[in-house]
């Protein structure tokens, strides 16, 4: 006889634990199953995001940024320090403490909301049954009226540079280095490559990023991508575009990487290599015999806009389904599915998912880019504000970057906002809210922003859409 639940969630990453907590809050008898254990074999809830993703990477990004500031920027602000040096063990210990405290926090939240948590590997069986095998090999069977699949994603391993966990690592390995590699190769100049490349470059590595595409950050606004490329190169990241890695050979404690670009084949040798070429849904072994769960062309679980899978009463959320692999997107999907189970009708707005690259400055955007809208022949107006003209940016010595508002030329509705700025991840939230409420550039221009703040840059960029910005030279006079 299997234990019966109203809702069973497979995976306690951001998508799964949000679904489970909301379902329990709504009075549904909920179980959440996850297999992740820490180095001591204890449950470590929170998935990729808390254990080896968003949180540990930001702990290292923030710490390494402060290290860089102490080394080279404090002096300019009149702050004298003694000799600044790196204690990598302590930096890693800080990161570990943050991760532990947050994973335990998720366990506490699930418990206090009445979610039954099971540690083990879950498999979806026919007739809404789930088998759970724990770490001792013990198997139990559960049944549930509704099942939410949230198994997340895993890094792509490429044959041209197979990971060995020592010299050639994925993002998880790159968060764990216990010494700063003298030379570091990063395959892929996407989000992970730029964030982790930045961490180790700030701590002293000579970093080379090999990116197969000829264009830098193709999903970002072109002007921002161009400015960001210059800025990152100034920070010591060497970014080789159009460089497709085709082979690698570990050699005497180093790795020789071969890549091909328009000029032919090249070899370059590194102490360590991070492979950061994307992630894929982690669904191996998720379904038992006879479970016909449909996948899409990318190998993700096929779902509709409400995260319904091909199976009745089975839903899927987060990185395992279509859309950007972002924690906040999965969280909102988890909540949407839980609420729809009790008859509410929320809908995730996929048009306002913010993207952030946590470099310095941060690159953030929401909505469509200027180039995409132009290619679609949608008439647009663009307002831009350089942070060099912001009083607050000057006061805090963070003048690199710009804020750009793209609005429809006829309706003035905001279609996209693009930011390159310190704290860009916080600034973009204002744009998301504006777009969620269908704001026009004029609406933002008529809104009062506190002075002096970086947010005023968004206000000015919105005013600039119709040529009314106060702090930049305008040609239009109306
Ligand atoms: P996951 O977080 O991957 O969680 C899935 C969970 O399911 C895991 O705990 C796994 O153990 C469990 N599971 C899987 N299969 C089974 C099974 N059969 N039985 C039991 N349990 C199972 N996103 C952002 O938005 N912002 C960031 O700053 C950011 N930084 C990142 C940095 C790095 C280095 C990486 C790798 C990713 C980052 N991401 C970031 C992406 C983010 O981590 C993911 O989008 C997010 O974790 C996806 O959430 P999820 O719940 O879908 O899956
Ligand atoms: P990505 O898709 O952002 O970048 C991978 C890059 O690798 C691409 O630019 C691709 O062209 C390149 N590439 C692929 N094969 C190559 C080869 N053989 N040689 C050279 N270059 C090659 O993927 P990622 O950086 O691995 O990140 C994975 C996912 O994790 C992303 O979807 C992202 O959303 C998520 N993530 C988000 C954040 C954030 O929100 N700040 C941070 C980290 C990760």
């Amino acid at each position: 006889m299997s234990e019966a639940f109203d809702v069973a969630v497979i995976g306690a990453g951001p998508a799964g634990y949000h679904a489970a907590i909301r379902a329990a809050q709504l009075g549904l008898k909920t179980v959440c199953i996850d297999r992740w254990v820490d180095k001591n074999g204890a449950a470590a809830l929170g998935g990729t995001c808390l254990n080896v993703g968003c949180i540990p990477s930001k702990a290292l990004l923030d710490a390494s940024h402060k290290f860089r500031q102490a080394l080279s920027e404090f002096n300019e602000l009149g702050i004298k320090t003694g000799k600044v040096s790196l204690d990598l063990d302590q930096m890693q210990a800080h990161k570990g403490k943050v991760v532990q405290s947050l994973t335990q926090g998720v366990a506490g939240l699930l418990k206090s909301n009445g979610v039954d948590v099971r540690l083990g590997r879950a498999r979806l069986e026919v007739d809404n049954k789930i088998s759970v095998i724990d770490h001792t090999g013990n198997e139990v069977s559960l049944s549930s009226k509704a099942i939410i699949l949230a198994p997340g994603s895993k890094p792509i391993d490429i044959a041209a540079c197979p990971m060995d966990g020592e010299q050639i690592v994925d993002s998880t390995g790159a968060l764990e280095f216990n010494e700063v590699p003298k030379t570091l190769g990063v395959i892929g100049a996407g989000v992970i490559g730029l964030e982790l490349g930045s961490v180790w470059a700030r701590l002293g590595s000579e970093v080379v990023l090999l990116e197969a595409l000829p264009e830098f950050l193709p999903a970002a606004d072109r002007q921002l991508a161009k400015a960001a490329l210059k800025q990152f190169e100034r920070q010591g990241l060497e970014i080789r575009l159009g460089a497709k890695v085709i082979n690698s050979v570990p050699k005497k404690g180093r790795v020789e990487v071969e890549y091909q670009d328009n000029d032919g084949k090249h070899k370059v040798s590194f102490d360590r290599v991070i492979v950061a070429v994307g992630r894929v849904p982690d669904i191996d072994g998720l379904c038992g015999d006879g479970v016909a769960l449909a996948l899409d062309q990318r190998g993700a679980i096929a779902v509709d806009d409400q995260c319904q899978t091909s199976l009745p009463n089975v839903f899927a959320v987060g990185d395992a389904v279509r859309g950007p692999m972002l924690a906040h997107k999965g969280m909102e999907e988890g909540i949407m599915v839980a609420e729809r189970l009790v008859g509410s009708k929320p809908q995730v707005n996929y048009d306002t998912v913010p993207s952030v690259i946590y470099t310095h400055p941060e690159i953030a955007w929401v909505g469509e880019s200027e180039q995409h809208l132009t290619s679609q022949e949608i008439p647009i107006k663009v307002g831009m504000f350089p942070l060099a003209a912001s009083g607050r940016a000057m006061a805090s010595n963070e003048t690199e970057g710009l804020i750009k508002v793209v609005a429809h030329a006829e309706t003035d509705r905001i279609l996209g906002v693009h930011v390159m700025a310190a704290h860009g991840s916080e600034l973009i939230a204002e744009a998301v809210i504006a777009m969620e409420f269908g704001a026009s550039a004029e609406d933002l221009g008529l809104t009062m922003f506190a002075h002096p703040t970086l947010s005023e840059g968004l206000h000015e960029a919105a005013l600039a859409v119709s040529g009314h910005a106060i702090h930049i030279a305008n040609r239009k006079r109306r």
Side-chain angles (χ1 to χ4, degrees):
M1 196 43 200
S2 51
E3 223 179 316
F5 291 89
D6 295 324
V7 182
V9 183
I10 298 180
Y17 86 74
H18 276 69
I21 288 177
R22 191 66 194 121
Q25 285 174 346
L26 290 164
L28 300 169
K29 187 181 176 201
T30 305
V31 62
C32 183
I33 311 133
D34 197 289
R35 62 186 180 201
W36 204 302
V37 288
D38 65 17
K39 284 172 189 155
N40 304 316
L45 306 177
T48 303
C49 171
L50 264 56
N51 286 291
V52 295
C54 323
I55 297 298
S57 61
K58 268 76 239 177
L60 291 185
L61 277 157
D62 284 346
S64 60
H65 177 57
K66 289 186 168 116
F67 175 66
R68 245 317 109 191
Q69 285 186 306
L71 271 182
S72 55
E73 290 174 32
F74 281 3
N75 220 13
E76 209 176 318
L77 302 177
I79 304 167
K80 295 276 180 213
T81 59
K83 186 173 179 304
V84 175
S85 60
L86 175 67
D87 181 348
L88 184 57
D89 290 346
Q90 176 55 31
M91 202 178 274
Q92 292 286 22
H94 162 72
K95 181 201 76 184
K97 218 165 104 189
V98 174
V99 168
Q100 193 186 32
S101 142
L102 286 170
T103 53
Q104 287 173 354
V106 169
L109 287 172
L110 286 162
K111 190 171 173 211
S112 65
N113 279 284
V115 177
D116 191 339
V117 175
R118 304 290 170 91
L119 182 60
R121 178 180 288 269
R123 198 174 54 226
L124 179 65
E125 307 289 1
V126 288
D127 297 333
N128 272 33
K129 297 242 176 349
I130 294 173
S131 73
V132 182
I133 305 176
D134 71 16
H135 294 82
T136 64
N138 191 33
E139 182 164 349
V140 293
S141 175
L142 313 173
S143 71
S144 183
K145 289 180 195 154
I147 294 172
I148 303 175
L149 307 173
S153 62
K154 59 183 180 189
I156 296 177
D157 201 352
I158 49 170
C161 194
M163 289 178 253
D164 61 13
E166 291 291 328
Q167 279 174 280
I168 306 174
V169 297
D170 59 14
S171 55
T172 300
L175 290 165
E176 293 296 327
F177 289 164
N178 53 14
E179 58 186 55
V180 180
K182 193 167 173 323
T183 53
L184 175 65
V186 182
I187 306 182
V191 199
I192 293 182
L194 289 170
E195 290 187 0
L196 296 182
S198 293
V199 165
W200 294 107
R202 291 169 190 170
L203 299 181
S205 292
E206 284 167 33
V207 178
V208 176
L209 292 104
L210 300 171
E211 167 56 54
L213 294 176
E215 204 174 19
F216 182 59
L217 289 178
D221 174 86
R222 285 304 76 214
Q223 189 181 2
L224 241 77
K226 218 169 137 193
L229 180 61
K230 257 196 205 153
Q231 181 65 15
F232 297 152
E233 286 180 336
R234 235 178 279 145
Q235 291 171 5
L237 294 179
E238 189 184 330
I239 301 171
R240 300 188 192 170
L241 297 172
K244 186 171 165 43
V245 171
I246 50 173
N247 194 24
S248 62
V249 185
K251 248 188 197 170
K252 293 185 191 149
R254 288 174 70 79
V255 185
E256 195 175 79
V257 176
E258 192 177 3
Y259 68 92
Q260 178 144 30
D261 63 15
N262 281 342
D263 299 329
K265 290 182 181 169
H266 311 267
K267 284 183 181 164
V268 54
S269 168
F270 303 105
D271 292 321
R272 292 188 108 157
V273 173
I274 304 173
V275 181
V277 295
R279 295 176 64 85
V280 282
D282 190 4
I283 50 177
D284 294 346
L286 181 65
C287 294
D289 289 344
V291 178
L293 182 70
L295 303 184
D296 65 19
Q297 284 168 335
R298 278 177 50 242
I301 302 171
V303 288
D304 66 12
D305 279 356
Q306 290 78 41
C307 295
Q308 169 73 58
T309 69
S310 58
L311 303 174
N313 300 316
V314 179
F315 304 84
V317 292
D319 279 11
V321 305
R322 45 85 191 109
M325 289 184 171
L326 296 172
H328 40 281
K329 173 260 191 188
M331 293 171 183
E332 294 305 318
E333 288 180 332
I335 290 173
M336 170 177 75
V337 170
E339 297 213 352
R340 292 184 83 91
L341 289 176
V342 295
S344 300
K345 298 283 178 238
Q347 176 62 55
V348 170
N349 182 357
Y350 291 100
D351 292 338
T352 54
V353 180
S355 296
V356 180
I357 306 174
Y358 293 81
T359 44
H360 191 81
E362 293 176 342
I363 318 284
W365 69 89
V366 57
E368 300 293 353
S369 64
E370 196 180 340
Q371 71 268 11
H372 175 76
L373 292 164
T374 308
S375 73
Q376 300 296 302
E377 296 183 5
I378 295 170
I380 53 168
K381 301 180 286 186
V382 177
M384 212 266 292
F385 183 74
L387 284 180
S390 153
R392 183 60 190 272
M394 286 163 86
S396 52
N397 212 21
E398 310 254 40
T399 52
E400 274 314 323
L402 57 98
I403 300 178
K404 194 175 195 179
V405 173
V406 184
H408 194 283
E410 285 143 24
T411 64
D412 195 39
R413 189 175 176 144
I414 301 171
L415 301 177
V417 175
H418 306 267
V419 173
M420 172 172 152
H423 313 292
S425 53
E426 306 292 342
L427 293 174
I428 204 65
E430 299 169 359
V432 175
I433 295 169
M435 287 183 64
E436 189 64 39
F437 284 87
S440 62
E442 185 187 33
D443 289 329
L444 261 190
L446 289 170
T447 305
M448 195 185 297
F449 287 71
H451 174 75
T453 56
L454 295 180
S455 307
E456 286 172 301
L458 178 61
H459 185 230
E460 289 275 332
L463 289 171
V465 167
S466 47
H468 296 164
I470 302 295
H471 294 92
I472 47 178
N474 286 309
R475 271 191 231 112
K476 290 186 199 164
R477 303 253 177 263
R478 270 190 278 139

